[in-house]
Amino acid sequence: MKLHTVSLSLVLALIAAPAFSHGKEKHDVAAVVAGRDAGKAELQIAPAAADAVAVVERFSAALSAGNPDKAAAELDPAVLILESGGVERSRDEYLAGHAKADADFLKGAQVSLTRRTAQASGELAWIGSESAIHAKKGADVVAIDSTETMVLRKTAQGWKIVHIHWSSRRAGAGH
Amino acid sequence: MKLLKTLLVLALLAVAGAAAVVTTGAYDVAADTPHWPSTYRLIEFARTRSIAVRAADIVVPDLDDPALLRSGAGNYDAMCVSCHLSPADGEDTELSLGLYPRPPRWDALGTVEPRAAFWTLKHGIKASGMPVWGRSMDDRYLWGMVAFLRQLPGMSAERYRAAVAASPGHSHGGGETDVGGGDPHAQHGGAETPRSSFEPVDDPTAAPTPAREHEHDEENHH
């Protein structure tokens, strides 16, 4: 009986711990290692979309390196960027708007790609990515589930990003 | 005429006396030297009347709205407990011990009239340690705290912890930023630093509450 009680307590404690830590950002700040990791990602990438995926990776890597200008080289001048109800309608508008904040945020963030699907058809490719982001915010760690849709068009200069849609929520905020 | 002269002399003496007290430093501003009881009661009365008059026309939303209660729990835990304590931790803190006048405890806060509680949260109270939360938070999040305050009397530590854990309030990244205008691109820390595209825009109460504070534009600084 005592063994059952102890076992039950342990199980409840294991269940309760993540429940109380969700979103409250009780992760260890020291455990956040800035950088990008796709090692455990579930990938479904059509061969025809491989080059487009490489462009998206270069864009994301440049932002994570804190270099928005380098990232912008992968954007079509007329790129349309949607994010949480906001919109930026060109590369220049993005550079003058959220690009610096995005680079600053990602530079100190640990981004783990969890799932990616990529398809291409003719001159167009679309890439859907899901990531878990951990970022330091003061003494806390912000845990974020981030999703990203990118549409690319093949141009004379190679694949260029013509559309981005970002959406984020606190990790564990439900479905 | 003689009476007028006497009154004038008395008034001048009073002004001179007040000036002497101020300029000689005779008045002790130390927070550990309490007011005379009569002074304290007068200030309390003035405070109560000041808030009651200014809060009289505020329209109170549905304070049983679950969304308001949810947002209020997290915000209370993030912003209020260090002074007003909580059912989960009733031990005095350095702030709750050190402030004068002593901040009311969590169980007393629940008895404050909602309009007065909202006004106090929004505008703060001079020389009391009570901050002006209305400068950084939208009304609906302040109403969330008012709604939660009403639940505090008699609340168990377990219920309090569960309410905070289930809340998308301040500690969880909601309420204190990007509020009011409904613009997710609203500025965070000044005009030069927009929020990054990867930080979620939390809105614990989703739809704005229908009733908002009806106040005149207050530029009447005192």
Side-chain angles (χ1 to χ4, degrees), chain A residues 19-20 22-25 63 81 83-88 94 97-98 100-103 105-106 133 137 140 142-144 146 148 166-170, chain B residues 74 77-78 158 161-162 164-174 176-177 182-186 188 192-202:
Chain A
F20 278 91
H22 100 265
K24 182 77 174 175
E25 282 69 272
L63 275 186
I81 299 176
E83 179 266 323
S84 299
V87 58
E88 280 157 339
Y94 177 63
H98 280 74
K100 184 177 183 311
D102 290 352
F105 178 78
L106 289 177
I133 300 176
K137 194 163 190 176
D140 290 329
V142 185
I144 296 167
S146 174
E148 169 189 278
W166 281 307
S167 177
S168 299
R169 69 182 182 195
R170 287 176 299 105
Chain B
D77 192 61
E158 291 72 24
R161 289 193 192 99
V164 172
S167 174
H170 198 92
S171 287
H172 302 259
E176 78 282 17
T177 55
D183 173 18
H185 284 79
H188 262 273
E192 302 306 315
T193 54
R195 179 182 56 80
S196 95
S197 305
F198 302 93
E199 293 171 272
V201 180
D202 272 356

Coordinates of all heavy atoms in Angstrom, one line a residue, chain A residues 19-20 22-25 63 81 83-88 94 97-98 100-103 105-106 133 137 140 142-144 146 148 166-170, chain B residues 74 77-78 158 161-162 164-174 176-177 182-186 188 192-202:
Chain A
A19 N 3.4 20.9 -15.7 CA 2.1 21.7 -15.7 C 2.3 23.0 -15.1 O 1.8 24.1 -15.6 CB 1.0 20.9 -15.0
F20 N 3.1 23.1 -14.0 CA 3.3 24.3 -13.3 C 4.4 25.1 -14.0 O 4.5 26.3 -13.7 CB 3.6 24.1 -11.8 CG 2.3 23.9 -11.0 CD1 1.8 22.6 -10.9 CD2 1.6 25.0 -10.5 CE1 0.6 22.5 -10.2 CE2 0.5 24.8 -9.8 CZ 0.0 23.5 -9.6
H22 N 4.8 25.4 -17.3 CA 4.5 25.8 -18.7 C 4.4 27.3 -18.7 O 3.7 27.9 -17.9 CB 3.3 25.1 -19.2 CG 2.1 25.9 -19.1 ND1 1.2 25.9 -18.1 CD2 1.6 26.9 -20.0 CE1 0.2 26.7 -18.3 NE2 0.4 27.4 -19.4
G23 N 5.0 27.9 -19.7 CA 4.8 29.3 -19.9 C 5.4 30.2 -18.8 O 5.6 31.4 -19.1
K24 N 5.6 29.7 -17.6 CA 6.0 30.5 -16.5 C 7.5 30.8 -16.7 O 8.1 31.5 -15.9 CB 5.7 29.9 -15.2 CG 6.1 30.6 -14.0 CD 5.1 31.7 -13.6 CE 5.5 32.4 -12.3 NZ 4.7 33.5 -12.0
E25 N 8.1 30.2 -17.7 CA 9.5 30.4 -18.0 C 10.4 30.1 -16.9 O 11.2 30.9 -16.4 CB 9.7 31.9 -18.5 CG 9.2 32.2 -19.9 CD 7.7 32.2 -20.1 OE1 7.2 31.1 -20.4 OE2 7.0 33.2 -19.9
L63 N 19.6 35.7 -40.0 CA 18.9 36.4 -38.9 C 19.5 36.0 -37.6 O 19.7 36.8 -36.7 CB 17.4 36.1 -39.0 CG 16.5 37.0 -39.9 CD1 15.1 36.6 -39.7 CD2 16.7 38.5 -39.7
I81 N 5.2 40.0 -46.0 CA 5.4 39.3 -44.7 C 4.2 39.6 -43.8 O 3.9 40.7 -43.4 CB 6.7 39.8 -44.1 CG1 7.9 39.6 -45.0 CG2 7.0 39.2 -42.7 CD1 9.2 40.1 -44.5
E83 N 2.5 38.7 -40.0 CA 2.9 38.2 -38.7 C 1.9 38.7 -37.7 O 1.7 39.9 -37.5 CB 4.3 38.6 -38.4 CG 4.8 38.2 -37.0 CD 4.6 39.3 -36.0 OE1 4.7 40.5 -36.4 OE2 4.2 39.0 -34.8
S84 N 1.1 37.8 -37.1 CA 0.2 38.1 -36.0 C -0.7 39.3 -36.3 O -0.8 40.2 -35.5 CB 1.0 38.4 -34.7 OG 1.7 37.2 -34.3
G85 N -1.2 39.4 -37.5 CA -2.1 40.5 -37.8 C -1.4 41.7 -38.4 O -2.0 42.6 -39.0
G86 N -0.1 41.7 -38.3 CA 0.7 42.8 -38.9 C 1.2 42.4 -40.3 O 1.2 41.3 -40.7
V87 N 1.6 43.4 -41.1 CA 2.0 43.1 -42.4 C 3.2 44.1 -42.8 O 3.2 45.3 -42.4 CB 0.8 43.3 -43.4 CG1 0.2 44.7 -43.3 CG2 1.2 43.0 -44.8
E88 N 4.1 43.5 -43.6 CA 5.2 44.4 -44.2 C 5.2 44.0 -45.7 O 5.2 42.8 -46.0 CB 6.5 44.1 -43.5 CG 6.6 44.9 -42.2 CD 7.6 44.4 -41.2 OE1 7.9 43.2 -41.3 OE2 8.0 45.2 -40.3
Y94 N 10.4 45.7 -44.5 CA 10.9 44.7 -43.5 C 12.2 45.2 -42.8 O 12.4 45.2 -41.6 CB 11.0 43.3 -44.1 CG 11.5 42.3 -43.1 CD1 10.8 42.0 -41.9 CD2 12.7 41.7 -43.2 CE1 11.2 41.1 -41.0 CE2 13.2 40.7 -42.3 CZ 12.4 40.4 -41.2 OH 12.9 39.5 -40.3
G97 N 11.6 47.8 -40.6 CA 10.6 47.5 -39.5 C 11.2 46.5 -38.6 O 12.0 46.8 -37.7
H98 N 10.7 45.2 -38.8 CA 11.0 44.2 -37.8 C 12.4 43.4 -37.9 O 12.7 42.6 -37.1 CB 9.9 43.1 -37.8 CG 8.7 43.6 -37.1 ND1 7.8 44.5 -37.5 CD2 8.2 43.2 -35.8 CE1 6.9 44.7 -36.7 NE2 7.1 44.0 -35.6
K100 N 15.5 44.2 -37.7 CA 16.5 44.3 -36.6 C 16.1 43.6 -35.3 O 16.9 42.9 -34.7 CB 16.8 45.8 -36.4 CG 17.9 46.0 -35.3 CD 18.3 47.4 -35.1 CE 19.4 47.6 -34.2 NZ 19.3 46.9 -32.9
A101 N 14.8 43.8 -35.0 CA 14.3 43.2 -33.8 C 14.3 41.7 -33.9 O 14.6 40.9 -33.0 CB 12.9 43.7 -33.5
D102 N 14.0 41.2 -35.1 CA 14.0 39.7 -35.3 C 15.5 39.2 -35.2 O 15.7 38.2 -34.6 CB 13.5 39.4 -36.8 CG 12.0 39.6 -36.9 OD1 11.4 39.9 -35.8 OD2 11.5 39.6 -38.0
A103 N 16.4 39.9 -35.8 CA 17.8 39.5 -35.7 C 18.3 39.5 -34.3 O 19.0 38.6 -33.8 CB 18.7 40.3 -36.6
F105 N 16.5 39.3 -31.6 CA 15.9 38.3 -30.8 C 16.5 36.9 -31.1 O 16.8 36.1 -30.2 CB 14.4 38.3 -31.1 CG 13.6 37.2 -30.4 CD1 13.3 37.4 -29.0 CD2 13.3 36.0 -31.0 CE1 12.6 36.4 -28.3 CE2 12.6 35.0 -30.3 CZ 12.2 35.2 -29.0
L106 N 16.6 36.6 -32.4 CA 17.1 35.3 -32.7 C 18.6 35.1 -32.4 O 19.1 33.9 -32.2 CB 16.9 35.0 -34.2 CG 15.4 34.8 -34.6 CD1 15.3 34.7 -36.1 CD2 14.8 33.6 -33.9
I133 N 11.4 27.5 -29.8 CA 12.4 28.6 -29.5 C 12.5 28.8 -28.0 O 11.4 29.0 -27.3 CB 12.0 29.9 -30.2 CG1 11.9 29.7 -31.8 CG2 13.0 31.0 -29.9 CD1 11.4 30.9 -32.5
K137 N 14.9 36.3 -21.5 CA 14.2 37.6 -21.4 C 14.4 38.0 -19.9 O 13.7 37.5 -19.0 CB 12.8 37.4 -21.7 CG 12.1 38.7 -21.9 CD 10.8 38.6 -22.7 CE 10.2 39.9 -23.1 NZ 9.0 39.8 -23.9
D140 N 14.4 35.4 -17.0 CA 13.5 34.3 -17.4 C 14.0 33.7 -18.8 O 14.7 34.3 -19.5 CB 12.1 34.7 -17.5 CG 11.5 35.0 -16.1 OD1 11.9 34.4 -15.2 OD2 10.6 35.9 -16.1
V142 N 12.0 32.5 -22.2 CA 10.7 32.5 -22.9 C 10.7 31.3 -23.8 O 11.6 31.1 -24.6 CB 10.5 33.7 -23.7 CG1 9.1 33.7 -24.4 CG2 10.7 35.0 -22.9
A143 N 9.7 30.4 -23.6 CA 9.6 29.2 -24.5 C 8.4 29.5 -25.5 O 7.3 29.8 -25.1 CB 9.3 28.0 -23.6
I144 N 8.8 29.3 -26.7 CA 7.8 29.7 -27.8 C 7.7 28.5 -28.8 O 8.7 27.9 -29.2 CB 8.3 30.9 -28.6 CG1 8.4 32.1 -27.6 CG2 7.5 31.3 -29.8 CD1 9.2 33.3 -28.2
S146 N 6.9 28.2 -32.6 CA 6.8 29.1 -33.7 C 6.5 28.3 -35.0 O 7.1 27.2 -35.2 CB 8.2 29.8 -33.8 OG 8.2 30.6 -35.0
E148 N 6.1 28.7 -39.4 CA 6.5 29.6 -40.4 C 6.2 29.0 -41.8 O 6.4 27.9 -42.0 CB 8.1 29.7 -40.3 CG 8.8 30.4 -41.5 CD 10.3 30.2 -41.3 OE1 10.9 31.0 -40.6 OE2 10.8 29.3 -42.0
W166 N 4.6 34.3 -40.3 CA 5.1 33.8 -39.0 C 3.9 33.8 -38.0 O 3.1 34.7 -38.0 CB 6.2 34.7 -38.4 CG 7.6 34.4 -39.0 CD1 8.2 33.2 -39.1 CD2 8.4 35.4 -39.6 NE1 9.4 33.4 -39.7 CE2 9.6 34.7 -40.0 CE3 8.4 36.8 -39.8 CZ2 10.7 35.4 -40.6 CZ3 9.4 37.4 -40.4 CH2 10.6 36.7 -40.8
S167 N 3.9 32.8 -37.1 CA 2.9 32.8 -36.1 C 3.6 32.1 -34.9 O 4.2 31.1 -35.0 CB 1.7 32.0 -36.5 OG 0.8 31.9 -35.5
S168 N 3.4 32.7 -33.7 CA 4.0 32.2 -32.5 C 3.0 32.2 -31.3 O 2.1 32.9 -31.3 CB 5.2 33.1 -32.1 OG 6.2 33.1 -33.1
R169 N 3.3 31.3 -30.4 CA 2.5 31.3 -29.2 C 3.5 30.7 -28.1 O 4.5 30.1 -28.4 CB 1.3 30.4 -29.3 CG 1.6 28.9 -29.4 CD 0.4 28.1 -29.6 NE 0.7 26.7 -29.6 CZ -0.1 25.7 -30.1 NH1 -1.3 26.0 -30.5 NH2 0.3 24.5 -30.1
R170 N 3.1 31.0 -26.9 CA 3.8 30.4 -25.8 C 3.8 28.9 -25.8 O 2.8 28.3 -26.2 CB 3.2 30.8 -24.4 CG 3.4 32.3 -24.0 CD 2.7 32.6 -22.7 NE 1.3 32.4 -22.9 CZ 0.6 31.4 -22.4 NH1 1.2 30.4 -21.7 NH2 -0.7 31.3 -22.6
Chain B
G74 N -2.6 35.8 -12.9 CA -1.2 35.9 -13.2 C -0.6 37.3 -13.0 O 0.5 37.5 -12.5
D77 N -0.2 37.9 -9.3 CA 1.0 37.2 -8.8 C 2.3 37.9 -9.2 O 3.3 37.8 -8.4 CB 1.0 35.7 -9.3 CG 2.0 34.8 -8.6 OD1 1.8 34.7 -7.4 OD2 2.9 34.3 -9.2
A78 N 2.3 38.4 -10.4 CA 3.5 39.1 -10.8 C 3.7 40.5 -10.2 O 4.8 40.9 -10.0 CB 3.5 39.2 -12.4
E158 N -3.8 26.3 -2.4 CA -3.8 25.5 -3.5 C -4.6 26.1 -4.7 O -4.2 26.1 -5.8 CB -4.4 24.1 -3.2 CG -3.6 23.2 -2.3 CD -3.6 23.8 -0.8 OE1 -4.5 24.5 -0.4 OE2 -2.6 23.5 -0.1
R161 N -2.6 28.9 -6.2 CA -1.5 28.4 -7.1 C -2.1 27.9 -8.4 O -1.5 28.1 -9.5 CB -0.7 27.3 -6.4 CG 0.2 27.8 -5.3 CD 1.2 26.8 -4.8 NE 1.8 27.1 -3.6 CZ 1.4 26.7 -2.4 NH1 0.4 25.8 -2.3 NH2 2.0 27.1 -1.3
A162 N -3.2 27.2 -8.4 CA -3.8 26.7 -9.6 C -4.3 27.8 -10.5 O -4.1 27.7 -11.7 CB -4.9 25.8 -9.2
V164 N -3.0 30.8 -10.7 CA -1.9 31.5 -11.3 C -1.3 30.6 -12.4 O -0.9 31.1 -13.4 CB -0.8 31.8 -10.2 CG1 0.5 32.3 -10.8 CG2 -1.4 32.9 -9.2
A165 N -1.2 29.3 -12.1 CA -0.6 28.4 -13.1 C -1.4 28.4 -14.4 O -0.9 28.2 -15.5 CB -0.5 27.0 -12.5
A166 N -2.7 28.6 -14.2 CA -3.6 28.5 -15.4 C -3.7 29.9 -16.1 O -4.4 30.0 -17.1 CB -5.0 28.0 -15.0
S167 N -3.1 30.9 -15.6 CA -3.3 32.2 -16.1 C -2.2 32.6 -17.2 O -1.1 32.3 -17.0 CB -3.1 33.2 -15.0 OG -3.2 34.6 -15.5
P168 N -2.7 33.2 -18.2 CA -1.8 33.8 -19.2 C -1.4 35.2 -18.9 O -1.2 36.0 -19.7 CB -2.6 33.7 -20.5 CG -4.0 34.0 -20.0 CD -4.1 33.5 -18.6
G169 N -1.3 35.5 -17.6 CA -1.1 36.9 -17.2 C 0.3 37.4 -17.3 O 1.1 36.8 -18.0
H170 N 0.6 38.4 -16.6 CA 1.9 39.1 -16.7 C 3.1 38.3 -16.8 O 4.0 38.4 -17.6 CB 1.9 40.1 -15.5 CG 2.9 41.2 -15.6 ND1 2.5 42.4 -16.1 CD2 4.2 41.3 -15.3 CE1 3.6 43.2 -16.1 NE2 4.6 42.6 -15.6
S171 N 3.3 37.4 -15.8 CA 4.5 36.6 -15.7 C 4.6 35.7 -17.0 O 5.6 35.2 -17.3 CB 4.5 35.7 -14.5 OG 4.7 36.4 -13.4
H172 N 3.4 35.4 -17.6 CA 3.4 34.5 -18.7 C 3.5 35.3 -20.0 O 3.3 34.8 -21.1 CB 2.1 33.7 -18.7 CG 2.0 32.9 -17.4 ND1 2.3 31.6 -17.4 CD2 1.6 33.3 -16.2 CE1 2.1 31.2 -16.1 NE2 1.7 32.2 -15.4
G173 N 3.8 36.6 -19.9 CA 4.0 37.4 -21.1 C 2.8 38.1 -21.6 O 2.8 38.5 -22.8
G174 N 1.8 38.2 -20.8 CA 0.6 38.9 -21.3 C 0.2 40.1 -20.5 O 0.3 40.1 -19.3
E176 N 1.1 43.2 -20.1 CA 1.9 44.3 -19.8 C 2.5 45.0 -21.1 O 3.1 46.0 -21.0 CB 3.1 44.0 -18.9 CG 4.2 43.2 -19.5 CD 4.0 41.8 -19.7 OE1 2.8 41.4 -19.7 OE2 5.0 41.0 -19.9
T177 N 2.3 44.3 -22.2 CA 2.8 44.8 -23.4 C 1.8 44.8 -24.5 O 0.9 44.0 -24.5 CB 4.0 44.0 -23.9 OG1 3.6 42.6 -24.0 CG2 5.2 44.1 -22.9
G182 N -4.4 47.3 -29.8 CA -4.7 46.1 -30.5 C -3.8 45.9 -31.7 O -4.0 45.2 -32.6
D183 N -2.7 46.6 -31.6 CA -1.7 46.5 -32.7 C -0.5 45.7 -32.3 O 0.3 46.0 -31.4 CB -1.2 48.0 -33.0 CG 0.0 47.9 -34.0 OD1 0.1 46.9 -34.7 OD2 0.7 48.9 -34.1
P184 N -0.4 44.5 -32.9 CA 0.6 43.6 -32.5 C 2.0 44.1 -32.8 O 3.0 43.6 -32.3 CB 0.3 42.3 -33.3 CG -0.5 42.7 -34.4 CD -1.3 43.9 -33.9
H185 N 2.0 45.1 -33.7 CA 3.3 45.7 -34.0 C 3.6 46.9 -33.1 O 4.5 47.7 -33.3 CB 3.4 46.1 -35.4 CG 3.6 45.0 -36.3 ND1 2.6 44.2 -36.7 CD2 4.7 44.5 -36.9 CE1 3.0 43.2 -37.5 NE2 4.3 43.4 -37.7
A186 N 2.8 47.0 -32.0 CA 3.0 48.2 -31.1 C 4.4 48.1 -30.5 O 5.0 47.1 -30.4 CB 2.0 48.1 -30.0
H188 N 7.5 48.2 -28.0 CA 7.8 47.7 -26.7 C 8.5 48.7 -25.9 O 8.1 49.2 -24.9 CB 8.7 46.4 -26.8 CG 7.9 45.2 -26.7 ND1 7.6 44.6 -25.5 CD2 7.3 44.4 -27.7 CE1 6.9 43.5 -25.7 NE2 6.7 43.4 -27.0
E192 N 12.2 52.8 -31.2 CA 13.3 52.2 -32.0 C 13.3 50.7 -31.9 O 14.1 50.1 -32.5 CB 14.6 52.8 -31.5 CG 14.8 54.3 -31.6 CD 14.5 54.8 -33.0 OE1 14.9 54.2 -34.0 OE2 13.7 55.8 -33.1
T193 N 12.5 50.1 -31.0 CA 12.6 48.7 -30.8 C 11.2 48.0 -31.0 O 10.5 47.8 -30.0 CB 13.1 48.4 -29.5 OG1 12.3 49.0 -28.5 CG2 14.6 48.7 -29.3
P194 N 10.8 47.7 -32.2 CA 9.6 46.9 -32.4 C 9.7 45.5 -31.8 O 10.9 45.0 -31.8 CB 9.4 46.9 -33.9 CG 10.7 47.2 -34.5 CD 11.5 48.0 -33.5
R195 N 8.6 44.9 -31.5 CA 8.7 43.5 -31.0 C 9.1 42.6 -32.2 O 8.8 42.8 -33.3 CB 7.2 43.1 -30.6 CG 7.1 41.7 -30.1 CD 5.6 41.4 -29.8 NE 4.8 41.7 -31.0 CZ 4.6 40.9 -32.0 NH1 5.2 39.7 -32.0 NH2 3.8 41.2 -33.0
S196 N 9.9 41.6 -31.9 CA 10.3 40.7 -32.9 C 9.2 39.9 -33.4 O 8.2 39.7 -32.7 CB 11.4 39.8 -32.4 OG 10.9 38.5 -32.0
S197 N 9.3 39.4 -34.6 CA 8.2 38.6 -35.3 C 8.0 37.3 -34.6 O 7.0 36.6 -34.8 CB 8.5 38.4 -36.7 OG 8.7 39.6 -37.4
F198 N 8.9 36.9 -33.7 CA 8.9 35.5 -33.2 C 8.3 35.5 -31.7 O 8.2 34.4 -31.1 CB 10.3 34.9 -33.2 CG 10.8 34.8 -34.6 CD1 11.6 35.8 -35.1 CD2 10.5 33.8 -35.4 CE1 12.1 35.8 -36.4 CE2 11.0 33.8 -36.7 CZ 11.8 34.8 -37.2
E199 N 8.1 36.7 -31.2 CA 7.5 36.7 -29.8 C 6.0 36.7 -29.9 O 5.5 37.6 -30.6 CB 8.0 38.0 -29.1 CG 9.5 37.9 -28.8 CD 10.0 39.3 -28.3 OE1 10.4 40.1 -29.1 OE2 10.0 39.4 -27.1
P200 N 5.4 35.8 -29.2 CA 3.9 35.8 -29.3 C 3.2 37.0 -28.7 O 3.7 37.6 -27.8 CB 3.5 34.5 -28.5 CG 4.7 34.3 -27.6 CD 5.9 34.8 -28.3
V201 N 2.1 37.4 -29.4 CA 1.3 38.5 -28.8 C 0.2 37.8 -28.0 O -0.7 37.2 -28.5 CB 0.7 39.3 -30.0 CG1 -0.2 40.4 -29.4 CG2 1.7 39.8 -30.9
D202 N 0.4 38.0 -26.7 CA -0.6 37.3 -25.8 C -1.7 38.3 -25.5 O -1.5 39.5 -25.2 CB 0.0 36.9 -24.5 CG 0.6 35.5 -24.6 OD1 0.4 34.9 -25.7 OD2 1.2 35.1 -23.6

